[in-house]
Amino acid sequence: MLNGEYGEARAKALRMIIRVGESLGAEGLVRIRHAHVSGVSYLNIGEPGLKLLEELYNGGGRAAVYTTINPSCIDLTGKSRIIDNSVTGKQFMLNRVLEGMGFTPTYTCIPYLVRRPGVDEHLAWGESNAVVMANSYYGARTNREGGPLALAAALTGYTYYAGLHLPQNRVGRIRVRVGFNPIGEEYSMIGLWIGENVEKIPVVEFPSEPVYYGLKLLFAASAATGSHGLVVVKGVTPRGTYSVEVVDRVELERKELEKYRGEPHGRILAYIGCPHLHPGEVYMLLRMAEKHGRISSKHSFLISIPYIYKSMLRAEAETLRRMGFDVAYGTCPIVSRIRDGYDTVLTNSGKAWFYLQKLHGLNVVLTSVEEMMRYVMEE
Ligand code: F3S
């Protein structure tokens, strides 16, 4: 492959993996079962990114392994009133290249729902929330890859054998004992807190079993404020995929999370779907919304869901739209631009809370979905 026998694109990609692997002291390469390519928003990578992808495609770059793609910067149905679709042409050019390379057009940040990772399976994933989920919930092995390395792994089927691929690096060192059973957005707050306060791999203990949708928020938030790739959750992370050598212990109580709340004011955008909503979450949202009525004309409620569920969730999306919800497929407000001016964003997502403030300078308030509905819906 290095000699160009499988094309120049693959040789180039493999050289990049080897260079990074050598700098990290990797003992070799490892074959992967699934690559997930991030950094595919035209607004993020711009013309240079598009040119690079076209070059790889023209140089024969094709998927050597099952590969999924992260969200892009446009609503792929074009129906959202909130997501600014002004770069549709460029994003479509980019999407055509990615799909031409043989990547599955998932346009989602929850690739684990498209293909469930196996225990101890080697992956090369480039979306931090998905990386933590793969390692911590499914017991798979992946580092937090940047977009170019995940792409290189997709084209070669290999990645460097270092970091979280090695059992000796999957060691929980800080025991975080959560003193209460979290609900809704509190999972996000715990994740934000862990990202900010715990540097080594945490071993999180809850009084009773945490819920799947809560962990999804927690993992995403911990990867936003911290550099975590693995967050061990006792009773959840598959045994044998990590070890524990505790060097420090911390207790976490509800009162320490209050700082993540805030005060909404003015025109409100309520937003859920960071990470993208699972179909089960869409059904729950619909049931909840039916009790509340319609979105008030003053405010908005945006949800972001994976593009691949377009057909499956058609009826639900239509019902939500009739109630005034805005449904965006294959994107999110963090990797795209939003159209209208809002004074406050309400969200249950710690990751959205972090990035919408940081990148878009918005006033963002973490709260429950129920509370969001109370703010933006009218009986
Ligand atoms: Fe996904 Fe966008 Fe959040 S890509 S994890 S919804 S920032």
Side-chain angles (χ1 to χ4, degrees):
M1 208 184 278
L2 269 181
N3 291 338
E5 240 176 80
Y6 297 91
E8 191 36 43
R10 278 195 180 145
K12 204 168 167 180
L14 193 58
R15 278 199 292 276
M16 187 201 293
I17 295 168
I18 291 174
R19 250 199 326 275
V20 173
E22 280 175 349
S23 73
L24 294 171
E27 52 188 81
L29 299 176
V30 62
R31 200 180 262 282
I32 57 157
R33 183 67 187 78
H34 177 171
H36 179 71
V37 178
S38 61
V40 297
S41 155
Y42 179 78
L43 285 178
N44 291 345
I45 65 173
E47 257 336 85
L50 175 59
K51 288 268 147 4
L52 175 75
L53 283 164
E54 281 173 341
E55 254 173 59
L56 287 169
Y57 174 74
N58 294 331
R62 300 292 181 271
V65 66
Y66 178 72
T67 301
T68 45
I69 327 175
N70 225 32
S72 78
C73 66
I74 54 165
D75 165 36
L76 290 167
T77 61
K79 290 189 181 170
S80 170
R81 288 164 280 115
I82 295 170
I83 302 292
D84 177 349
N85 264 20
S86 56
V87 292
T88 298
K90 288 290 184 182
Q91 185 65 57
F92 274 161
M93 281 168 78
L94 219 159
N95 293 0
R96 266 198 298 277
V97 173
L98 295 166
E99 291 173 34
M101 286 179 171
F103 302 165
T104 309
T106 49
Y107 301 107
T108 187
C109 48
I110 53 169
Y112 46 84
L113 281 186
V114 184
R115 182 187 163 276
R116 187 189 166 99
V119 169
D120 284 335
E121 194 173 77
H122 294 280
L123 315 168
W125 282 12
E127 159 55 51
S128 64
N129 97 80
V131 167
V132 187
M133 195 73 172
N135 284 314
S136 316
Y137 190 87
Y138 295 101
R141 303 192 201 180
T142 173
N143 288 316
R144 274 177 75 154
E145 301 299 2
L149 266 179
L151 177 67
L155 299 182
T156 59
Y158 290 92
T159 191
Y160 53 92
Y161 193 44
L164 292 172
H165 289 281
L166 300 172
Q168 63 266 33
N169 294 329
R170 302 174 65 95
V171 186
R173 302 210 189 261
I174 312 291
R175 192 173 299 285
V176 180
R177 195 161 281 146
V178 180
F180 58 97
N181 284 314
I183 44 168
E185 78 286 3
E186 288 176 332
Y187 280 98
S188 284
M189 295 174 176
I190 295 170
L192 291 170
W193 188 91
I194 288 174
E196 279 172 7
N197 295 286
V198 181
E199 263 182 43
K200 298 191 170 80
I201 296 176
V203 182
V204 189
E205 289 181 11
F206 290 97
S208 53
E209 202 181 324
V211 298
Y212 180 83
Y213 297 132
L215 289 176
K216 182 171 167 258
L217 293 172
L218 188 158
F219 293 149
S222 71
T225 48
S227 55
H228 294 292
L230 167 64
V231 174
V232 175
V233 178
K234 220 166 155 216
V236 172
T237 306
R239 283 201 192 156
T241 62
Y242 67 94
S243 55
V244 176
E245 283 169 29
V246 172
V247 294
D248 203 1
R249 293 178 165 75
V250 281
E251 306 278 330
L252 182 57
E253 292 300 335
R254 251 192 191 113
K255 60 180 186 318
E256 289 171 69
L257 304 177
E258 279 309 307
K259 63 175 179 175
Y260 298 116
R261 297 200 186 272
E263 276 304 313
H265 63 266
R267 188 160 181 244
I268 288 172
L269 169 64
Y271 168 56
I272 61 170
C274 173
H276 273 177
L277 294 183
H278 178 290
E281 292 173 288
V282 177
Y283 305 141
M284 281 195 287
L285 175 74
L286 194 52
R287 272 203 303 278
M288 219 188 260
E290 277 162 354
K291 290 190 223 138
H292 283 265
R294 281 191 56 79
I295 309 290
S296 118
S297 55
K298 187 178 168 210
H299 307 300
S300 303
F301 200 132
L302 170 70
I303 70 169
S304 52
I305 51 183
Y307 179 62
I308 33 135
Y309 293 135
K310 188 168 162 261
S311 315
M312 185 183 178
L313 293 172
R314 181 164 288 132
E316 288 74 15
E318 280 314 315
T319 311
L320 285 166
R321 281 190 184 116
R322 276 198 299 278
M323 295 167 102
F325 283 83
D326 197 283
V327 185
Y329 283 88
T331 188
C332 78
I334 292 99
V335 298
S336 66
R337 279 196 213 113
I338 48 179
R339 266 188 200 130
D340 294 317
Y342 294 95
D343 301 300
T344 301
V345 178
L346 298 183
T347 184
N348 64 344
S349 160
K351 180 169 180 177
W353 178 85
F354 180 76
Y355 283 111
L356 287 172
Q357 290 179 79
K358 194 172 167 213
L359 302 177
H360 299 318
L362 292 160
N363 174 43
V364 191
V365 174
L366 260 179
T367 189
S368 66
V369 179
E370 193 65 42
E371 201 57 23
M372 283 181 224
M373 289 195 182
R374 271 199 281 275
Y375 270 107
V376 304
M377 295 184 83
E378 49 198 22
E379 301 290 317

